[in-house]
Amino acid sequence: VQLQASGGGMVQAGGSLRLSCAASGRTFSTYTMGWLRQAPGKDRDFVAAISWSGGSTYYADSVKGRFTISRDKAKNTVYLQMNSLKPEDTAVYYCAADRGIAGFSSDATDYDYWGQGTQVTVSS
């Protein structure tokens, strides 16, 4: 599985961005997909995840109600719609695939495949 993230940029606080993650590989549709982020000098933190079917989602408390994860299986793409952005959302955002079957994980070490990251900068 290869993942290509895009859609990052610079936005003012309160603004919106939509990140995309294009995946290649026949087994993509069977994996849980997630978005994680890493701010300078900090660990890589979980943001959101979506089940292989798209029917279940899981969010970090810090983004709940502001971010929405979705997937289009026909396009092999996962999205992260980010609204009401805050300066503390500034980070490099990574999409990742989890081939496990244990359910959602917020632990970055449980994800097996990673995209290259896309920078999101929110100014105050």
Side-chain angles (χ1 to χ4, degrees):
V1 174
Q2 291 187 326
L3 305 174
Q4 180 75 34
S6 62
M10 185 177 293
V11 64
Q12 288 189 331
S16 298
L17 283 173
R18 188 175 82 155
L19 306 183
S20 299
C21 176
S24 61
R26 291 179 296 174
T27 53
F28 160 78
S29 61
T30 66
Y31 294 168
T32 294
M33 296 298 297
W35 286 95
L36 298 91
R37 65 188 181 187
Q38 188 166 20
K42 296 189 176 181
D43 293 334
R44 194 166 295 188
D45 291 332
F46 172 78
V47 176
I50 188 165
S51 63
W52 68 270
S53 68
S56 298
T57 56
Y58 177 49
Y59 295 94
D61 288 342
S62 59
V63 307
K64 208 172 288 184
R66 300 188 297 124
F67 291 10
T68 302
I69 188 171
S70 61
R71 71 190 298 167
D72 185 332
K73 297 182 79 172
K75 294 183 179 180
N76 277 1
T77 302
V78 176
Y79 303 98
L80 185 68
Q81 177 66 44
M82 306 186 294
N83 299 329
S84 302
L85 282 161
K86 304 175 181 180
E88 51 263 43
D89 294 318
T90 295
V92 177
Y93 283 70
Y94 298 89
C95 62
D98 177 5
R99 61 186 177 183
I101 58 173
F104 293 125
S105 175
S106 59
D107 187 341
T109 63
D110 287 333
Y111 288 84
D112 302 290
Y113 303 98
W114 292 85
Q116 84 288 4
T118 184
Q119 176 71 46
V120 171
T121 302
V122 184
S123 61
S124 57

